[in-house]
Amino acid sequence: MKVYLSVDMEGVTGLTDPEEMHAGKRGYERGCELMTADANAAIEGAFAGGAGGVLVNDAHGSTKNLRIDLLDPRASLIRGPGKAQRMAHGLDGSFQAAGFVGYHARAGVPHGVLNHTWMGKEIQNVYLNGEPCGETRLVAACAGFHGVPVVLVTGDEAVGEEARELLGDVETVAVKKGIDKFSAELLPPVVAQSRIREAMARALDRLNDFTPYVVEAPYTLGVEWNSTAIAAAVSLIPGVKAAGARHTEFTTDDFTQIMALFGLFASIAGQVACGSGPYG
């Protein structure tokens, strides 16, 4: 049995400060250690539950956050930028289960710690076939496109609620309870990681209870940007059309194109936002 893990950072045990998630900022190195420890807990749970192999994808920001020297040696790691499938890179139909570690609630969710969707400032909202879409839904839909069920989601309470509403009786672990976007009540790492380990093992023990999350094609990705300039710039990508002054849409029958497009969006939107000064 092969297990795929997509590991983000905002939902990692103990983290609440954006600086802890950006290289060179205060607390970042410790944040990477905590991120790796959460990933290791899921890896340990996967092998305890019968996995024969685990592939881990660093899915946060630069995608150079997980500490390979601290990673469970039974797993392998995808690291670094330029990955066509971004948060789902390496995921295909050869896996029997997928887990999301360190995930966070979508943009605008009350009490969602560090809530956002894909980009923290440039994107207001994301829609998939007209329905609000966070990163959990986006990557779960990609897994479903490949026929792979999501069996575990870890992060704050808000993302657990989002995951259960979307995926049903999925295993979730709340490692923190949001107070506001940048504050939370935290579980000690030893407690949180024990719960992650147990939840992953439990999920694989009842693997037959899970079915892939399938969104019917065609897939329409809608993005509401915070800037007319960003919307105009990304509308230049072939196949992307303007659906409003700050809203773009893209439709395809191949979900891998959705994941790849988000990578282009991030590159373009980041450049426009950084070069636009105070008016963004």
Side-chain angles (χ1 to χ4, degrees):
M1 174 170 51
K2 290 175 61 180
V3 175
Y4 177 88
L5 296 178
S6 176
V7 185
D8 204 355
M9 201 168 186
E10 287 86 359
V12 161
T13 299
L15 303 185
T16 60
D17 187 339
E19 290 202 349
E20 296 168 328
M21 286 149 236
H22 289 86
K25 299 292 186 178
R26 177 177 54 83
Y28 172 71
E29 294 301 328
R30 178 59 176 150
C32 292
E33 293 174 1
L34 288 166
M35 182 184 184
T36 308
D38 277 13
N40 279 340
I43 294 166
E44 291 164 12
F47 280 105
V54 176
L55 177 63
V56 180
N57 180 33
D58 188 325
H60 174 74
S62 69
T63 67
K64 298 183 289 185
N65 313 285
L66 287 168
R67 289 277 302 272
I68 186 62
D69 56 318
L70 300 179
L71 195 72
D72 188 310
R74 295 172 292 181
S76 57
L77 172 67
I78 297 176
R79 179 183 189 270
K83 300 181 292 192
Q85 294 298 287
R86 304 292 165 153
M87 295 185 77
H89 199 83
L91 177 58
D92 60 29
S94 69
F95 292 89
Q96 284 69 55
F100 301 163
V101 177
Y103 269 51
H104 54 83
R106 69 176 184 266
V109 172
H111 309 302
V113 182
L114 299 164
N115 69 81
H116 68 281
T117 302
W118 205 266
M119 303 185 78
K121 296 179 180 179
E122 293 83 357
I123 291 177
Q124 290 289 103
N125 288 294
V126 172
Y127 302 91
L128 181 59
N129 288 4
E131 298 293 328
C133 180
E135 292 168 28
T136 299
R137 185 172 186 223
L138 184 75
V139 185
C142 186
F145 177 75
H146 294 294
V148 181
V150 177
V151 302
L152 172 73
V153 178
T154 82
D156 68 343
E157 280 193 355
V159 77
E161 293 169 2
E162 188 176 324
R164 289 189 297 274
E165 180 181 346
L166 182 72
L167 304 172
D169 190 24
V170 64
E171 292 284 346
T172 61
V173 179
V175 303
K176 48 194 162 186
K177 179 180 180 179
I179 296 170
D180 199 355
K181 186 170 184 175
F182 303 112
S183 57
E185 179 182 342
L186 308 173
L187 287 181
V190 67
V191 175
Q193 288 150 17
S194 175
R195 293 183 184 180
I196 293 172
R197 190 178 305 111
E198 293 168 359
M200 176 55 91
R202 190 165 56 244
L204 296 187
D205 188 55
R206 63 182 192 92
L207 185 58
N208 290 336
D209 292 345
F210 301 100
T211 57
Y213 174 69
V214 176
V215 177
E216 295 299 324
Y219 314 107
T220 296
L221 175 70
V223 180
E224 180 189 358
W225 302 92
N226 76 344
S227 163
T228 55
I230 295 174
V234 300
S235 294
L236 298 175
I237 299 173
V240 178
K241 65 178 184 179
R246 293 188 295 113
H247 198 118
T248 58
E249 288 187 348
F250 173 78
T251 300
T252 179
D253 287 329
D254 182 355
F255 204 89
T256 65
Q257 293 183 354
I258 297 287
M259 300 304 298
L261 185 65
F262 254 124
L264 293 175
F265 278 178
S267 298
I268 293 170
Q271 288 297 315
V272 172
C274 288
S276 299
Y279 292 99

